Structure formats: structure tokens, C-alpha cells
């Protein structure tokens, strides 16, 4: 083998060092590369293609529900960021500041957007006059910058890619309905596209978005039992509208404030895909966002007719599937490992014997099951069925992992023991006091994930302080 | 009419003040809005939808020719920008500098990318080892920042949206072929999608990209006779490769430098669409990138059956066309003007008489021609034919405008007179000396647009200095 052939190198087993396994997979599958800027990642073609597939699906869902894409500027004047008090307190410590344009010092510093609420608000104040202008349902696909101290590809980077929706409504009810509508889109996307089950609910006041009245979240459980906040949908009430003076004349010509929402999911999702589905051989990509759903590997390529038959197969399947093929002179075994490591959901092996029998050998990435497929008019349907089955099986496996690791605790000792010894989430009652959240953080390095939508019995107590419970809540360690 | 109904306001006629006409159209058609950051525009839904259609078409062309999308970081360390001498000289005066992350001053300043050559180069230096790794054909869709002094929406903004392709090749010939392949994609896109004819050729050394050996350009002529540089494709030779040490081992295991290209088109194109096709009533959008190709306007909406018939028509045509409809209680005349101003290529009027006759009235935006279309199984085909005809007619009109205003001059007096008095381009011979270019700039406020690919007779002279001519060249005033 030539010295420059890339070898399928060993990946650290998950049980040995999960963080190292993650880093190995991200690098070896060529998803990202480190960049010359601390904490900012380069999204390589394979990583970016996953993001493109995520974008395509979500963008369709947003448009079907009446949302329009726009593009707001990258930079925010310092005075504009300061207009909403909670918001600036939440974000100012972690923004990057532009102070010079060319050789000239700017009169006012500009920050690179950490999120774009204030830009949308100042635009809405300008373009909304009448109830006929409402609702405004805008979204944008951009990157944002947050000056994080410790960074990891996809999970926490100084620059990341996301969509941010920002909407304005005539009434609180409509805005709340939007917040929940989007939460439902996120849940559906996680489950039906990424094959990742999520828990969902409200964030506590401590954990909610800076400036929001309510923050809904979807939370996924990674293979190591830790939580990944997977997407958030915020209800702002009229707080931003008052700060930015966004008003409209209603049907009776009375001046009213609008009610707003914002919501976003980011390239973090790709970190979630890796850590929920991956195994010790590398990535396992859910078929609906895999850049390549199939890889065609010719067997005994040197034998007469094999190349032509494989080319014909590739040509045929390209019409229905995202696929790649490998006609290089590397050994089939090398190719098997390589495309397994890169998480291609289904491999098609096609050699002289198969050609003779009019079949192709399909091998599933997730469970290595080997399936013989007749090459007839049903081939595409049968492949699609396998891809759907892979999706369902990935989901079922992740669901089993999630629910088998959600525990309940009624007292602080049990809660502590679980959060210290058992990877996973713990459900408890909670009084609603931030002091209890801070104690859990300090004692157990765990944070509240979200509130359950469940009634709390009259006599239930907070296991942390013993006071009367108001909520039931999930706790967990988180990325 | 309620006070909050938007009126179709008058637009300054082009003959009166072309710059004001442009500003009026951009604003009234709701393409952009001014932002709180000087010189940065907000792309509103209608403006962004044009950009999305442009992206979709070009992205397909890039992918069909083997290019892969990636995402490079937004920020560039100062030391990295300085690695290629010509490049940093060209861009350093106009970049925005980040000096602080949160409250901490950075050890090294970072600039917001004005273009990403240096990021791609440092990445290529890392990932290219062998001839098997070549070519690398990468592209990204991002925004870039250049601290311009005077700005106008789409034409010159401190932040703009574009694609930037960056490729690395084993040989100079392959890189040059790529440069020309992309030029051809741009020409084809301008002509067959935007309905804009272009002249094309090499830039002079004075006008070429900072760091390039050769820059090809496509140049369009606006309605006022001024040029708009519409897209550029650069050949770098191995200059960047030497500065960034991007080498590969060839088949004989010899270490060689790669040869590179870069190329880009931006939201400037939207400015071109406006200024080539628009008229005194507003925008005229080419059908292939119009956010709405059709607008359905019901006539006598209050009469029985009209709403239902129009809804049915909309539902039917939605499957084949991007369309909007206006069922509001505004007068049809108001609606006609509104969607004409916004440049929708074809209006469909549908009222009781039409319903009775089984027809719909189509009115072309570009020439106001009225066409009666039978509502039968050929309706979609017939509408498509009209849209294609609109495209062809827009192109023919723009081509007539372009070629009727390209002049030739053999002496400096004629050249001066033409460039001063006749809006348009002037072709002359040229000696190749930058001093002559600078003289034309100083005397006539015109710049070289591009070289013609035409043989120069032995006895031809430069009309500026009288020396022997080496080239034939286009001159013009430019945006």
C-alpha cells in the first residue's frame, strides 16, 4: 500500500475514553478540522454535507409553516445590544468586539452577533405598524460567535452554525402557540429524521434564555448518559417589544406591543448524532441525513464485466439515493472498514457471483446484517425499506438507552447516588428555588434539564430542601 | 383605504435620477432595509428569496462539476492574512478588526474575512499530501466584510453575501482550465438564468485580484450605460502555494507545489438584475429567479364562485410554479401596480367573465402584453412558454442595449468624447502600460473593464500614449 494511502486507524473504544472516542471519530471521519482560530472549526465536505441535509429538511418544515428567510447583519452596535437588560447581561461577557475598520478606530464598538434578537427587534420596530403586518415569521441560517473558554467540535465552538427564528405576534396566545409549534417541529425532526428520542419541557428560570419569559428545550441523552441540549424555543412576552418599542395599531386603532418568540437549533445536533448512534468502529449516520445513504463496493473488480456491472448499478441507484462508490485499487476489506467508520448506513457489495445470480449483497452498518437483494424492478423499494428499517432500529435502540437510564428519586441521598454513580437522568420533585439548583450543581455537578409536564401531588416535597414541591424536574450532567 | 394600507408610491423616473430610481425600487419592492450598522443591509424576505433562487441554481452547477461545499471560520488571525504579500496589501486597509473576546484583549488581532484565500490555503497545506488528494474543489456560501466608505444596497455594502470557490490542482494547466470552466458557468448563469448578456475577458494587472496571476471577469452593462463587474475567476499560479507551503508528492514521489484558483459571485448580481431589467414602474424580475413567477389576482372577488375558482386555480398552479395571490379587499388596480412594482413576471387575472369562458387573462410584466389562456390541460405548458418567452425577450432587450452602446475609438479625442458623452463601453487598443490606465481614470473617470480576446494588428497604437498596442480593451465607468 502506498505510503499516502489513508489507513483505517483504530478508534479509541468508547468504554475506555468516551471523549477521546468522540475526537477520534470527528477527525477520522473527516467531519471537521481544527482552524487557525482558537475554538473555531472547519466544516469539511462530509461534515458540511450532513449540515446541508439538516438544513434542507428543517428549512422545508419552516417554510411549510409560513416562515420566511431573511439575512440580518453580522455586527451589532454596542448600544443596541444593551437595550434589553437581561439579554445584554447574558451575552456581553462572551462576545467578540470589533473596534477598528481598516486603520480607523470605530466611534462605537460592534460585537459579532452571539444571537440576533436585537437586530430583529430593531427591524421589527421599523416595519411593523398595523395588525395587518402581523404575524412576522422570520428565520435565518447563519453562524454566530460566542467566545467560549473550552471548546469541542460541534458541541461548543467559538463560531457555530445555526438557524434562528424570530417572530412577532399580535397576542401573547399566538406567540405562545408559535413557541410550542416550533418545539413540536424540533421534536419531530429529532425523532423522524435524526432517529434521536428526546425529552422536552420548560427550562427553569436559572437555565432559560437571557431575556425570555419561557424557554422550551429538547434534550437528548448521549451514549455516556450525559444530556445534550438539542434545541430551544423561547417565548419573550412583550419584554423585548417594550425595550425596542415595537408597537402596532390594532383593529380599533389602539397602539399595542407585539409578543415575540425566538428559537434555534445548531451544528451541535451533529455532535448529538455522533454520540447517540456511533459505535467503536466509528460513525453511524441516520439514513435521512447521511451524505451517502449507500456505498457500492465492487468485489473482484479486475474480473471481466465487474466494473461495467457496478457502474450500471451505481448509475441506476443514483436516481433514487445519495450514494458513493469506491472503484479504487484498495482491498475490499479496507473499503468496508473505511465506509463503516464514516457511518454509511448501507453497503452494497457486488461481485462476479452476485452478477451471475442477479443479486447484490447489502450489509447494514448498524447491526452488520447481510441481506441478499434481487436486482429486479423492486430493488429501489427494497433498499428504501431497509433504510427505513435502519432508521427505526436506530431510534428504538436510542429510545431503549434513554428510558432505561431515566431514574426517579424521592430523597437527596438517592438522587446524589444516582447522579454520581449512574449515567443518565434523574427525575425528582422540586420546590422551584434556584438555591436548590445551585446546590445540586455544586454538590453533584448536575444541572436541571427541564420540567416535566406532570401534575405534582399536594404532599410532594423537594428532596433538596424539604419544602413543598411545585414541579417535577429532570436532572443530569450535560455537555 | 385604511391609513395603514401601503400605497404604491411613485418611483423617481430613471431619466430624472437613475441613482434615486434605484434606491426607490430597492426600498419599495422591499428587497432590503437599512440596518443599525453603517453600510450593512438587511435582506428582507423578497430580496433574500431572490438570493436563495440564485444560490440553488449555482450550487447545482458547482456540484455537477465536482465541487464540494465546506465552511471555513469567519475570523482570520492577522499573521495568517499577512502570509501572501500582495493579498494583504490589497485587503488589510478594508478589514474589520476584532481585538477583544468578552472582556479580554486578544493576544493577536483577528480580522473578519474579507475573502478566505488564506484560510483555504492553510487548510489545504494540512490536508493535501499526495497527488491522489488532488484536485481539491471546494466552495462556500458565506458573508464577508469589507469596510467600504460609500455604500449602496447590493452594489457596495460593508457586509455582503457570496460564494467563494477555492481549488487546488496538480498542474498549472488544470488550474487554468478550472478558472475558465467557472468563467463559463458564470456566463451561462448570467445569460440563461438572469437574462443578462455579459462581456468577458481578463482584467489588467491594475484591476486584477490581490494575489492573482490572472483574473477573468464578466461585466454587465446597466441601463445607465455603466459597467457592473458581475463575477470574477482568478488563477493564482503557485504563488499562494509557495507562501503557504502547499505541496504534494507526485507519481514519482517528487514534492511539488499545487496550482490554485478562486472565484466568486455575490449579492451584487441582484443590483445588476434591478439596473438591467427594471423600468419606471419598478422591478422586472427574470422568471427563473423570481420569488414569485406568477401572481393570481381575482377580479370581482365578491361575486359568487369567484373566490373558490381562484383558490382552485392557485392550488393547481402551485404544483408547477412559484406563485403568490392576493385575495385582500384592495382594488384590483392597486394590486396590479403593487405586483408590477415588485417585478412579478406574469399576472393572472381571473374574474366572473373568465370563469364563464373557461379562460384566464395573463399580463406580462415586461411589455404589458395581454394573453388569453384557455384553462385546459395545456395551461401549465402555455404559462411555461410565456415565462420562457419573457426570459428570451428580456435577454434580447438587454443584449440590444449592450451592443448598441459599445463604441470603438482609435484616438484619444474620440475615446474621451465617447466616455464623457455617451453612456456605454469603449473599445480601444492599449499598450499595456498602467500609466495609460491611470491617465484615463484621472481624465475621464473611466476604468479598464477587461481585455478582448482578439488579435492586435502589428501597426495598432495605444490611443493614450501612442506606443505600439499589445491589447484591445474595454473601457467604461463602473459601479
Amino acid at each position: 500500500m502506498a505510503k499516502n494511502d489513508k489507513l483505517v486507524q483504530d478508534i479509541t473504544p468508547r468504554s475506555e475514553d468516551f471523549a477521546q472516542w468522540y475526537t477520534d471519530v470527528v477527525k477520522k471521519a473527516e467531519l471537521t478540522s481544527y482552524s487557525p482560530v482558537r475554538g473555531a472549526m472547519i466544516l469539511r465536505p462530509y461534515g458540511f454535507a450532513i449540515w446541508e441535509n439538516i438544513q434542507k429538511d428543517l428549512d422545508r418544515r419552516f417554510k411549510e409553516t409560513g416562515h420566511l428567510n431573511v439575512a440580518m447583519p453580522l455586527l451589532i452596535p454596542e448600544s443596541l445590544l444593551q437595550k434589553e437588560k437581561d439579554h445584554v447581561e447574558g451575552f456581553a461577557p462572551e462576545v467578540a468586539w470589533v473596534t477598528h475598520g481598516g486603520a480607523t478606530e470605530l466611534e462605537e464598538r460592534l460585537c459579532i452577533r452571539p444571537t440576533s434578537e436585537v437586530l430583529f427587534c430593531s427591524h421589527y420596530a421599523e416595519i411593523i405598524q398595523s395588525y395587518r403586518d402581523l404575524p412576522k415569521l422570520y428565520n435565518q441560517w447563519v453562524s454566530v460567535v460566542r467566545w467560549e473558554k473550552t471548546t469541542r467540535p460541534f458541541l461548543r465552538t467559538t463560531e457555530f452554525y445555526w438557524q434562528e427564528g424570530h417572530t412577532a405576534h399580535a397576542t401573547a396566545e399566538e406567540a405562545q402557540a408559535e413557541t410550542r409549534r416550533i418545539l413540536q417541529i424540533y421534536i419531530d425532526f429529532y425523532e423522524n429524521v435524526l432517529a434521536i428520542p428526546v425529552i422536552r419541557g420548560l427550562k427553569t428560570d436559572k437555565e432559560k434564555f437571557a431575556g425570555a419569559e419561557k424557554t422550551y428545550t429538547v434534550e437528548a441523552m448521549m451514549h455516556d448518559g450525559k444530556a445534550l441540549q438539542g434545541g430551544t424555543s423561547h417565548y419573550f412576552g412583550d419584554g423585548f417589544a417594550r425595550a425596542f418599542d415595537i408597537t402596532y395599531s390594532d383593529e380599533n386603532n389602539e397602539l399595542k406591543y407585539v409578543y415575540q418568540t425566538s428559537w434555534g437549533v445548531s451544528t451541535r445536533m451533529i455532535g448529538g448524532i455522533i454520540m447517540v448512534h456511533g459505535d467503536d468502529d466509528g460513525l453511524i449516520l441516520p439514513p435521512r441525513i447521511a451524505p451517502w445513504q449507500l456505498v457500492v463496493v465492487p468485489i473482484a473488480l479486475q474480473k471481466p464485466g465487474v466494473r461495467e456491472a457496478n457502474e450500471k448499478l451505481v448509475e441506476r441507484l443514483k436516481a433514487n439515493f445519495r450514494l458513493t462508490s469506491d472503484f479504487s485499487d484498495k482491498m475490499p476489506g479496507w473499503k468496508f472498514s473505511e465506509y463503516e467508520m464514516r457511518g454509511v448506513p448501507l453497503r452494497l457489495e457486488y461481485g462476479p457471483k452476485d452478477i451471475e445470480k442477479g443479486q447484490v449483497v447489502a450489509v447494514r452498518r448498524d447491526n452488520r446484517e447481510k441481506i441478499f437483494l434481487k436486482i429486479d424492478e423492486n430493488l429501489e423499494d427494497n433498499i428504501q425499506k431497509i433504510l427505513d428499517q435502519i432508521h427505526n432500529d436506530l431510534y428504538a435502540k436510542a429510545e431503549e438507552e434513554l428510558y432505561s437510564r431515566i431514574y426517579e428519586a424521592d430523597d437527596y441521598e438517592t438522587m446524589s447516588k444516582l447522579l454520581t454513580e449512574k449515567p443518565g437522568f434523574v427525575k425528582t420533585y422540586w420546590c422551584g428555588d434556584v438555591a436548590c439548583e445551585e446546590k445540586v450543581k455544586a454538590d453533584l455537578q448536575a444541572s436541571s434539564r427541564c420540567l416535566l409536564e406532570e401534575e405534582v401531588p399536594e404532599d410532594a416535597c423537594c428532596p433538596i430542601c424539604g419544602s413543598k414541591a411545585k414541579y417535577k424536574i429532570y436532572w443530569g450532567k450535560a455537555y
Side-chain angles (χ1 to χ4, degrees), chain A:
Chain A
M1 201 176 283
K3 94 177 212 305
N4 284 310
D5 280 347
K6 192 179 52 178
L7 295 159
V8 178
Q9 292 158 295
D10 286 337
I11 292 170
T12 307
R14 289 174 299 169
S15 56
E16 190 180 309
D17 183 344
F18 192 71
Q20 188 58 46
W21 168 83
Y22 179 81
T23 309
D24 289 349
V25 168
V26 167
K27 179 161 187 248
K28 287 177 185 159
E30 297 186 359
L31 299 179
T32 72
S33 188
Y34 291 100
S35 85
V37 179
R38 195 190 59 81
M41 61 186 168
I42 291 168
L43 280 179
R44 301 188 65 179
Y46 199 56
F48 195 77
I50 297 174
W51 183 235
E52 280 188 314
N53 290 335
I54 287 174
Q55 283 188 298
K56 203 181 294 172
D57 191 289
L58 276 173
D59 197 65
R60 178 183 54 72
R61 291 168 192 261
F62 298 149
K63 283 178 174 149
E64 281 171 4
T65 46
H67 300 87
L68 301 170
N69 282 337
V70 298
M72 289 285 156
L74 174 72
L75 299 171
I76 302 174
E78 185 164 18
S79 57
L80 191 68
L81 188 69
Q82 288 169 339
K83 272 200 164 181
E84 210 285 337
K85 199 180 128 291
D86 292 335
H87 190 65
V88 65
E89 278 175 16
F91 284 104
E94 59 177 38
V95 297
W97 290 105
V98 174
T99 56
H100 289 73
T104 314
E105 186 166 0
L106 303 179
E107 283 176 31
E108 179 181 14
R109 296 199 298 178
L110 306 168
C111 76
I112 300 178
R113 62 178 164 230
T115 177
S116 305
E117 272 72 14
V118 301
L119 290 164
F120 278 89
C121 284
S122 85
H123 184 52
Y124 282 153
E126 190 192 320
I127 64 168
I128 294 169
Q129 273 96 40
S130 148
Y131 68 95
R132 293 165 190 238
D133 298 327
L134 295 173
K136 285 281 182 236
L137 307 173
Y138 287 179
N139 177 60
Q140 69 176 3
W141 292 93
V142 294
S143 75
V144 293
V145 169
R146 297 178 187 177
W147 218 254
E148 303 281 1
K149 290 207 177 56
T150 46
T151 61
R152 300 184 66 193
F154 296 119
L155 302 176
R156 199 168 290 278
T157 46
T158 51
E159 181 184 5
F160 62 84
Y161 303 84
W162 78 346
Q163 60 70 217
E164 44 177 325
H166 296 267
T167 69
H169 305 262
T171 66
E173 292 66 39
E174 281 178 42
Q176 300 216 33
E178 167 79 1
T179 310
R180 293 193 65 104
R181 181 182 310 121
I182 296 297
L183 184 75
Q184 200 50 55
I185 288 178
Y186 289 161
I187 293 169
D188 193 64
F189 179 75
Y190 264 91
E191 297 184 347
N192 294 315
V193 180
L194 305 185
I196 296 178
V198 288
I199 61 166
R200 74 295 305 265
L202 282 171
K203 284 283 186 192
T204 62
D205 282 350
K206 176 175 185 290
E207 299 288 335
K208 75 184 185 189
F209 182 81
E213 278 195 15
K214 286 182 189 179
T215 289
Y216 286 95
T217 183
V218 294
E219 306 264 332
M221 189 190 288
M222 304 298 100
H223 182 71
D224 62 354
K226 284 165 83 172
L228 187 77
Q229 179 179 304
T232 46
S233 181
H234 316 294
Y235 169 64
F236 288 141
D238 61 2
F240 276 93
R242 287 176 187 271
F244 285 83
D245 200 25
I246 315 172
T247 58
Y248 71 97
S249 312
D250 73 3
E251 286 87 337
N252 308 315
N253 222 11
E254 274 180 60
L255 213 59
K256 296 203 166 155
Y257 287 110
V258 301
Y259 292 81
Q260 290 173 268
T261 82
S262 82
W263 29 275
V265 289
S266 76
T267 35
R268 276 204 120 185
M269 287 195 284
I270 300 176
I273 293 166
I274 299 167
M275 290 195 290
V276 168
H277 298 307
D279 67 15
D280 286 352
D281 294 317
L283 275 184
I284 298 178
L285 293 177
R288 292 173 195 163
I289 52 88
W292 302 317
Q293 300 172 301
L294 311 175
V295 54
V296 173
V297 178
I299 306 295
L301 189 51
Q302 74 290 355
K303 296 232 171 121
V306 172
R307 175 175 295 274
E308 294 69 20
N310 272 276
E311 282 169 352
K312 211 174 133 196
L313 182 69
V314 165
E315 212 42 57
R316 171 174 173 181
L317 295 178
K318 255 189 356 198
N320 290 55
F321 303 97
R322 299 186 295 271
L323 69 72
T324 189
S325 53
D326 192 337
F327 285 76
S328 72
D329 55 9
K330 299 190 182 99
M331 301 299 292
W334 186 95
K335 296 177 188 176
F336 296 171
S337 307
E338 170 73 8
Y339 295 96
E340 281 173 5
M341 185 266 285
R342 300 190 80 177
V344 180
L346 195 65
R347 174 172 79 234
L348 300 179
E349 307 172 3
Y350 195 36
K353 262 190 237 162
D354 307 306
I355 296 168
E356 202 179 302
K357 290 187 187 163
Q359 71 180 22
V360 59
V361 183
V363 183
R364 284 172 56 162
R365 168 63 180 93
D366 60 328
N367 62 9
R368 313 298 166 103
E369 190 191 341
K370 206 171 217 182
I371 303 153
F372 295 88
L373 293 172
K374 275 226 110 35
I375 299 191
D376 57 18
E377 73 280 10
N378 299 320
L379 179 62
E380 283 83 356
D381 279 352
N382 289 330
I383 290 175
Q384 188 56 55
K385 274 181 204 146
I386 298 174
L387 291 176
D388 289 339
Q389 193 57 49
I390 292 173
H391 173 91
N392 294 341
D393 291 351
L394 286 176
Y395 183 83
K397 184 161 167 286
E399 197 178 31
E400 155 68 18
E401 278 215 353
L402 169 63
Y403 289 106
S404 69
R405 296 191 294 179
I406 295 180
Y407 308 101
E408 290 214 45
D410 287 327
D411 58 84
Y412 196 61
E413 199 192 324
T414 311
M415 178 179 170
S416 306
K417 212 171 143 63
L418 283 167
L419 281 168
T420 318
E421 293 171 13
K422 294 265 194 187
F425 300 165
V426 177
K427 290 195 281 193
T428 74
Y429 290 114
W430 175 51
C431 61
D433 192 340
V434 68
C436 291
E437 271 183 284
E438 280 162 359
K439 181 175 159 58
V440 172
K441 186 86 201 171
D443 290 357
L444 311 171
Q445 293 77 55
S447 51
S448 69
R449 305 317 310 157
C450 63
L451 302 175
L452 280 83
E453 297 193 325
E454 211 173 86
E455 247 175 82
V456 175
E458 268 301 311
D459 59 349
C461 292
C462 173
I464 304 146
C465 66
S467 311
K468 188 170 154 42
K470 281 194 205 142
Y471 306 101
K472 196 155 190 183
I473 192 166
Y474 287 102
W475 305 93
K477 300 188 189 253
Y479 278 95

